[in-house]
Amino acid sequence: MTVTFSIEYWAQPHERLTLVGRAADSPAHSGAQTLPLEHLGEGHWQATLHLPSATSPIHYIYSYRLTDETGAVLREEWRIPHELHLPAGDTAVFTQDRWIDCPEDAPAFSAAFCDILSQQTVAPEEAPQPGLTFSVHTPALRRGERLLVTGSCEALGSWDPKKALPLTYRGQGRWSATLPASAIGSAPTSLRYKYLLSTDEGYTYLWEEGEDRWANLPDSSIYPYCYVQDSYLHLPSRPVRTAGLVAPLFSLRSDTDWGIGDFGALREAIDFAAEAGMHAVQLLPINDTTSTRGTADSYPYNAISVDALHPIYIDPEALPALPAEERKAFLREAKALRQLPAVDYPRVLELKERFLRRAFELQGKADLTSADFRLFYDEAVAWLRPYALYCVLRDQFGSGTPSDWAGWEVYDEAKSAAYLDAAAHAEEVGYYYWLQFVLDRQLQAVRSYAEERGVFLKGDLPIGVAPHSVDVWMAPHLFHTEQSAGAPPDDFAADGQNWGFPTYNWEHMQEEGDFRWWRQRFERQARYFHAFRIDHILGFFRIWEVPRTQRSGLLGHFHPALPYSLEEWQEKLALPFPIELLTAPLVHEDELTARLGDSFDDLLDSGYLHSTALAGLYQLTYGEQADYETEAAQRALGADVAAVLAELCTETALIADPYKAGHYHPRIALERSRLFARLPEELQERWRAVSDDYYYVRHNELFRTTALLRLGALTSHTRLLLCAEDLGMIPASVPAVLDELQVLSLELERMPKAFTPTGWARPDSFPARSVATTSTHDMPSLRGWWHSLSASEQERYYREELLLTEEVPDEEALYRRIIEAHLASPSAAVLLPLADWMSLDSRLWLTTPAEEQINRPEDPHHYWGYRFPRSLSDLQVAAPEWRTHIKHLITLSQRL
């Protein structure tokens, strides 16, 4: 069989076009073929591929690359591949292709919007037949709309829409239709044509824009199979607008849960969303966090594996039933836990683990011999085996920290394989294989159920991984384990945040397969979700790093960054004293004596405090030489003194860069320190100028190119709808990068990203490529925020933000107006926390608004045990009109 590829592309003299293709069922890498194209002049490129005669049709997928003379890739097509369904036997095929660029509405091609919201029925590909096949991509069609093609020849209706050729939807935004050879007759070799939309009733209402399309067709006697493959339909913009709810899975209640939300409760949330006119349900991370089996494991962002799901979310009702008496005993315990106001994490986990161990005895061992399990194992083996080993060793040593495992502190592939494959460990290892198999099957079933109900699932991709996780244990070279990720100070955390996660060694990740670790992580998300929130997407631009020896987020620095040498700092600040004095904490004697009393004199002899050339100022030892929260420091100094010194460690002006010796970052928010208050006014002004430039100007281009490199390598290979959590200290380059990569931003009225006269961001100004929300799990709910405002601020909000001139509405009506404003916004999605949807009906309010806040980020030891007061079905009983009210508001806003 011969396949001739033809494409128009205007390249530079030193540039070349190459085709990369493979059979769809062959491996993505080992099965790929590379075919150079020949330039025929006037921008026309062509190549012929010779394939062996096949006994059955071949589904062939391919894309084009632009390279230089050395073969280096200069440009690639977007992620939508060209497709050919080739006939069996020995024949000739011709295809005229168009280059596929990233479309202006790329999110509309995502799995969430294209597969769920379009509501089109997908027809399977038909057997290849001789003739002329048209194909084009568009995700914009909705139920009741049809796509047709008409053109300059009689076979296409001679521009008469009533005689046009209807196309069939093939999925993922692709439409195609074939004119049989018998219908083509004496079709001209040059054909003009256009696509148009019609209703099911045959009413034509929209032709595509622009000039006529054209096709140069070969002699059909030589090429009986001919394809015209266009890129995108040229339609006026029809933006997607939808709505949904946000809820942590652990917080959901159902009538059958075991004290925590599970995949059964998630089905109920999907039902509620669908019946309320919503099309999205967003969750917090659901990865396994089991390390201590205590309350600390409730933190959903501290996963022990970026791949493994948490067994605590298994729906027991979806497993084979235990013997009657055993089942009754388990259900009695489950009922007691279900009636608690919050998740009792240790008790719930203990009960579920006990139940799952028994279920494994009765059913799991048989499941491990099934064809379904073998398929799952083959797909998951790369992460499943290390995860299972981690779990077995964690249980054996009673610790989730590999450094506590004698002989296993460092991961060894050969040793691990021998342990996993040993008969003595088969049952324990098999148990953890089985848990992930059950989780996989249950969550995939929930995903399918959501699709049937027209709802897409949105997951959450944490920016960090636990320092004791499987991922760090297996590949420590991919992380900076001596650094801790966090966030600079903001209105919610004046001391900054220190999350405890190691930061990524992006350079090694790039070297190892062009960010393969991240791409595999994205692929794993796509197994269960149609969209996900990229937690702290600013980490792809730069991360806030805090040395492991420090606790305060104030002592962090951005990475990557462009720090100054000490000589440059001396020059910029024009100091009248040695610059070295600013590289360690400087504390005045008055502060020390006031805080330490008689202990001050003892401290002078301890080696932790040093006098300086500046009158009254002492330099405090800190960093690796003095971690004041260690037991050794507390024994040497006393717990009270050590605590004071740990706090005073932030009184430094320059932070050493760990990657470039002799270079320093300015300490962030130094202006609020005691040290800054003691500096001369002229020096204060110089510091403000240098610091402002450093944090808001100097790194913009570096952060932009860094994000484009990292995110760009990932966004072009996934159909997931990508949504950024881009709150906080945002570099100026962030909006442009998200816009270029078409990642949806997150917009909150109370957190404007640019100056506004009112101090709030108006929802009608939100960008179309965004997710709008009224609050997040890290902040007070809508009601909590409103009650935190003073009476004068509330009055100003009425007049300046809601633009109300009439009588101030009651509180319930106020929340309705706020939600209406969000639903009316241009944002592609309005996803509100369940508690904020509940604000629409006062019968659903909790006693105090503060009870509705899920997490308090200022507390590093916060217990994530929040549960909604009632199940969604109970809420509906308590307020029968509530769901109908929500659906009415969504319908009025013309959201899908």
Side-chain angles (χ1 to χ4, degrees), residues 678-693:
R678 294 185 178 275
L679 297 178
E681 184 175 343
E682 183 180 350
L683 180 54
Q684 289 181 352
E685 289 303 314
R686 287 198 296 271
W687 176 272
R688 287 192 181 96
V690 175
S691 180
D692 286 349
D693 176 79

Side-chain angles (χ1 to χ4, degrees), residues 107 113 239-241 744-745 747 765-771 825-829:
F113 288 170
V240 175
R241 297 173 73 250
L744 273 57
S745 64
E747 304 297 329
S765 69
F766 290 168
R769 288 198 197 110
S770 72
V771 174
S825 74
S827 296

Side-chain angles (χ1 to χ4, degrees), residues 47-63:
T48 298
L49 176 68
H50 297 277
L51 296 172
S53 179
T55 57
S56 59
I58 300 172
H59 181 196
Y60 194 79
I61 58 176
Y62 59 99
S63 62

Side-chain angles (χ1 to χ4, degrees), residues 164-243:
L165 175 68
L167 282 79
T168 302
Y169 187 55
R170 306 300 184 187
Q172 300 189 15
R174 182 173 173 268
W175 296 73
S176 72
T178 299
L179 268 177
S182 58
I184 296 175
S186 57
T189 57
S190 182
L191 173 67
R192 291 186 300 116
Y193 63 99
K194 266 195 173 184
Y195 298 101
L196 61 148
L197 292 185
S198 172
T199 64
D200 284 341
E201 293 76 27
Y203 171 66
T204 302
Y205 61 93
L206 190 62
W207 288 73
E208 67 172 336
E209 300 174 328
E211 298 179 356
D212 294 345
R213 297 176 183 264
W214 57 267
N216 290 324
L217 306 177
D219 188 335
S220 59
S221 65
I222 300 175
Y223 293 99
Y225 296 85
C226 185
Y227 293 81
V228 174
Q229 300 202 77
D230 291 305
S231 53
Y232 305 112
L233 197 62
H234 301 154
L235 284 180
S237 176
R238 300 197 294 175
V240 175
R241 297 173 73 250
T242 192

Side-chain angles (χ1 to χ4, degrees), residues 3-22:
V3 184
T4 298
F5 301 89
S6 175
I7 188 171
E8 182 182 39
Y9 191 98
W10 293 89
Q12 297 297 319
H14 66 282
E15 296 174 338
R16 305 287 183 267
L17 274 189
T18 302
L19 180 148
V20 180
R22 61 182 175 86

Side-chain angles (χ1 to χ4, degrees), residues 437-497:
F437 171 67
V438 170
L439 287 158
D440 178 82
R441 287 303 180 262
Q442 286 196 4
L443 186 50
Q444 287 213 56
V446 173
R447 173 193 165 106
S448 296
Y449 182 72
E451 291 172 349
E452 293 169 5
R453 301 236 54 188
V455 173
F456 68 80
L457 294 182
K458 182 181 176 187
D460 193 324
L461 187 86
I463 189 62
V465 298
H468 56 272
S469 67
V470 182
D471 309 281
V472 178
W473 182 46
M474 280 184 64
H477 64 286
L478 297 181
F479 304 88
H480 292 301
T481 55
E482 73 285 356
Q483 299 291 327
S484 174
D490 56 27
D491 293 340
F492 301 97
D495 199 42
Q497 297 178 46

Side-chain angles (χ1 to χ4, degrees), residues 366-379 384 430 433-434 436-437 441:
D367 285 343
L368 295 181
T369 65
S370 68
D372 279 351
F373 173 76
R374 175 50 57 181
L375 180 63
F376 164 75
Y377 178 87
D378 289 344
E379 293 172 340
L384 182 62
Y433 287 168
W434 178 73
Q436 291 304 312
F437 171 67
R441 287 303 180 262

Side-chain angles (χ1 to χ4, degrees), residues 1 55 126 205 284 349 416 462 476 487:
M1 178 189 302
T55 57
E126 300 159 352
Y205 61 93
L284 292 188
L349 183 61
S416 300

